[in-house]
Amino acid sequence: MPVDVSTEVFEGPLDLLLQLILQEEVDLYEVSLASIVDAYLATIDRLIESEDGLDLEVATEFLLIAATLVELKTRRLLPDPEGDELDESIWLWEERDLLLARLIECKTFKNVAERVESLLTAAGRSVPRRAGLDERFLAITPDLLGGVGPDDLARAFARAVRPKPVPEVSLHHVTPITASVSEALGRLARTLPYLGAATFRELTADTDDRIEVVVRFLAVLELYKEGLVELDQASTFGELTVSWLGGGHSEVDVDLVLAGADRYDG
Amino acid sequence: MTEVPPSGDELLDDGDELRRAIEAIVLVSDEPVPSELLAQLLEVSVPRIDEICGQLALDYEASGRGFQLARVAGGYRYQSHPDQEQWIERYVLEGRSAKLSAAGLETLAIVAYKQPISRAQVSAIRGVNVDGVMRTLQNRGYLIEVGRDPGPGQAVLYGTSQRFLEELGVDSLDDLPPLASFMPDSETVDTLERGLRTSIDADLDAEAGDGPTS
Amino acid sequence: MTEVPPSGDELLDDGDELRRAIEAIVLVSDEPVPSELLAQLLEVSVPRIDEICGQLALDYEASGRGFQLARVAGGYRYQSHPDQEQWIERYVLEGRSAKLSAAGLETLAIVAYKQPISRAQVSAIRGVNVDGVMRTLQNRGYLIEVGRDPGPGQAVLYGTSQRFLEELGVDSLDDLPPLASFMPDSETVDTLERGLRTSIDADLDAEAGDGPTS
């Protein structure tokens, strides 16, 4: 039976296999090679069919692991009655152990990563003082740029232009999320009836701003909740198509939708 | 968690909570923090901020700390105590080459890549007042005035100096590395996008009843 | 409070002078100040520095300061107290780095324990191309190039930076638990093993008698 693949946010073939096996045990209290192989192959299929496709290097690794898995599964289904292919079986066995060793190593570093993350989070609660010397003392040093290279300068620039956290204090006055969702809703409710249908990518083509993308996504969900649009996605990694169901354009529709948006008000 | 001092026998009062927050904010700031900003952040009046900061400065002095809370350019900042100057000089001269603060380096980087640029424009990018930092960089000979904005206001425009190029060890501004490879990556965006996809999938699955299973 | 009364009638002792100098120097530094450097500048032993700094950190905690003196990456630095996080967050902070993705964390974890290590080696462990992630980590200052593989190809070898320790808030890499302690538990290993088990294994086990166990 299908392993739950809708949860997959995996990084490459090894990670996928690791998740499939551990996930299957959680779901079924036992693991079955057959269903893992099936899920694995199904995922590769979807990746190949997805619009981004698979790059060759990644695909090779996926296929190598898949080949080993299929071989293992075949052996299981068709145990060799003669027993005269012992050499090949031993070879397969070694492949299996190699794969197992890689999975264990992969899992080990995932565990380390968790610890690193918790340390980073704990340390992130404190902010170090980086103000440095005040101007009185800068005057006595001859080589203020000592040790600073062109790359450091470029990094400093990147740091300076990195989007800054929104100061929370401003939220007391403007509640920007509510405003933006309403705004996005209004715009969608006005444009979608004319477009009929559009992909989410098209609906966000004019912005690079992550917050804006999230806001529009919330707006789309809101329309979906109100039964004004239909969402369709052909494959897991495919485009999300938003189709208007709300009939012709009218002010009533917009008002209705905007009324719904009030629920975002915190 | 706000904790009670280990052996303390009275709770920190409201003033103590404010004091602690002010200490934390001013400590991590690389510019003097205006009273008005502190008042806004901590949701108390400006006179209350000034009262607590004044008391705090006296406390540090009375307990013989090696630093001070000083009022500079309309804001508060920590600085080393004047009577510790000899040690600071020793640290600067012997300990290692003194460096620009992170704020100084970022400001310099913005001017280097965006020149000619006005103070207000640099300030808009960094999100803080940069008057002090710009003045320091100018005094050090890294920044020079290169003209005036033709628009209304005629703001002074700044650029980097020859000296800056020399100390950085490059021949000309053209030798500065291209920014593309240093810009914030799309990793975060990707993660977010994947998160969205996952939740869309979940919704669709729930709706359709037979989502994309294997 | 550990302060001398304002109208104190005794001079600060030697320890107090040292403490004040340390406070001043650490305050004006923009990175952790190594004990060795403090010892050299102040002409006392390293243990004496560590003793005074340890006491100072306790003093700040006991008197409920909004900041801490922390030992990080082999040195001392001032940082805001963790319980003041909410106020610091309200204050716009430049350069407060975005969270690392899972891929970033795993790559960092591998380099931290396997350094010096090449990109290809990290890639082999993770089973995916890590070029982009490694570049991001390098741009963020967590990874640095530490040398080149003497073998053919001369691959660049990477290690973690001082900055990584600072962000992690640990004194040195030795403070991280040994890698063995992160091995998946035997239950997980069993599950993984069963996931790859074929029925022929049993036959082979019987046949080979003492074959290598997994």
Side-chain angles (χ1 to χ4, degrees), chain C residues 39-81:
Chain C
Q40 179 197 329
L41 293 171
L42 304 177
E43 294 169 10
V44 293
S45 71
V46 171
R48 180 85 174 110
I49 293 290
D50 288 336
E51 177 199 341
I52 292 174
C53 288
Q55 186 54 50
L56 192 51
L58 291 176
D59 283 355
Y60 290 149
E61 192 68 34
S63 41
R65 304 260 73 109
F67 51 77
Q68 298 179 317
L69 182 68
R71 178 158 181 106
V72 174
Y76 294 96
R77 75 172 179 200
Y78 280 108
Q79 63 185 31
S80 57
H81 197 288

Side-chain angles (χ1 to χ4, degrees), chain B residues 18 22 33-40 42-55 71 76:
Chain B
L18 282 171
I22 292 171
V33 189
S35 310
E36 293 73 20
L37 180 56
L38 287 171
Q40 191 190 357
L42 303 177
E43 294 167 12
V44 294
S45 70
V46 171
R48 181 84 173 113
I49 293 291
D50 288 337
E51 177 198 342
I52 292 174
C53 288
Q55 185 54 49
R71 183 158 178 105
Y76 293 97

Side-chain angles (χ1 to χ4, degrees), chain C residues 54-114:
Chain C
Q55 186 54 50
L56 192 51
L58 291 176
D59 283 355
Y60 290 149
E61 192 68 34
S63 41
R65 304 260 73 109
F67 51 77
Q68 298 179 317
L69 182 68
R71 178 158 181 106
V72 174
Y76 294 96
R77 75 172 179 200
Y78 280 108
Q79 63 185 31
S80 57
H81 197 288
D83 67 16
Q84 296 302 305
E85 186 188 14
Q86 49 161 337
W87 300 115
I88 298 296
E89 272 177 3
R90 286 199 165 194
Y91 182 64
V92 185
L93 286 173
E94 54 176 304
R96 195 144 199 223
S97 31
K99 289 189 90 167
L100 284 175
S101 65
L105 287 167
E106 285 174 38
T107 304
L108 205 46
I110 292 169
V111 178
Y113 278 94
K114 295 274 194 178

Side-chain angles (χ1 to χ4, degrees), chain A residues 116-131:
Chain A
V116 168
E117 184 175 34
S118 67
L119 284 171
L120 284 172
T121 305
R125 299 180 61 213
S126 292
V127 176
R129 176 174 171 85
R130 292 200 195 279

Side-chain angles (χ1 to χ4, degrees), chain A residues 1-11 35 38-39 42 46 51-52 125 127-164 167 169-170 172-173 200-201 208 210-211 213-214 217 221 224 231-233 235-238 240, chain B residues 1 26-31 40-41 43 72 77-82 85 88-89 91-93 96-103 105-114 125-127 136 140 142 163-164 167-170 175-179 182-184 188-189 192-194 196-205 207 212-214:
Chain A
M1 269 315 286
V3 172
D4 177 17
V5 282
S6 68
T7 60
E8 67 194 30
V9 178
F10 59 89
E11 268 271 335
S35 64
D38 291 346
R46 277 205 311 283
E51 63 185 50
D52 300 334
R125 299 180 61 213
V127 176
R129 176 174 171 85
R130 292 200 195 279
L133 292 163
D134 56 63
E135 56 282 358
R136 284 175 296 165
F137 302 106
L138 290 177
I140 62 172
T141 162
D143 55 345
L144 216 48
L145 283 178
V148 174
D151 283 3
D152 299 305
L153 196 73
R155 279 192 196 100
F157 183 87
R159 226 170 28 237
V161 300
R162 184 184 296 158
K164 308 201 169 24
V169 66
S170 67
H172 296 304
H173 314 300
F200 187 65
R201 196 179 298 272
D208 288 333
R210 278 178 282 143
I211 298 298
V213 172
V214 172
F217 183 70
L221 286 185
Y224 178 72
L231 300 180
D232 187 41
Q233 194 179 32
S235 64
T236 305
F237 283 75
L240 177 71
Chain B
M1 298 286 115
V26 175
L27 185 94
V28 305
S29 175
D30 52 22
E31 308 271 345
Q40 191 190 357
L41 290 169
E43 294 167 12
V72 176
R77 78 167 181 201
Y78 281 107
Q79 61 185 33
S80 56
H81 196 287
E85 203 166 320
I88 304 295
E89 280 176 16
Y91 168 67
V92 171
L93 295 173
R96 48 149 219 181
S97 66
K99 289 187 308 187
L100 279 176
S101 65
L105 191 58
E106 283 179 21
T107 303
L108 197 50
I110 291 169
V111 178
Y113 279 98
K114 293 277 192 184
I125 293 174
R126 292 211 47 234
T136 300
R140 289 301 307 229
Y142 295 139
R163 162 143 194 220
F164 162 74
E167 289 207 14
L168 198 66
V170 299
D175 294 337
L176 292 180
L179 286 171
F182 293 94
M183 294 307 281
T188 346
V189 180
L192 185 79
E193 214 174 333
R194 260 190 310 200
L196 287 183
R197 281 181 177 147
T198 309
S199 53
I200 294 168
D201 291 345
D203 282 0
L204 287 178
D205 285 353
E207 188 69 14
T213 54
S214 57

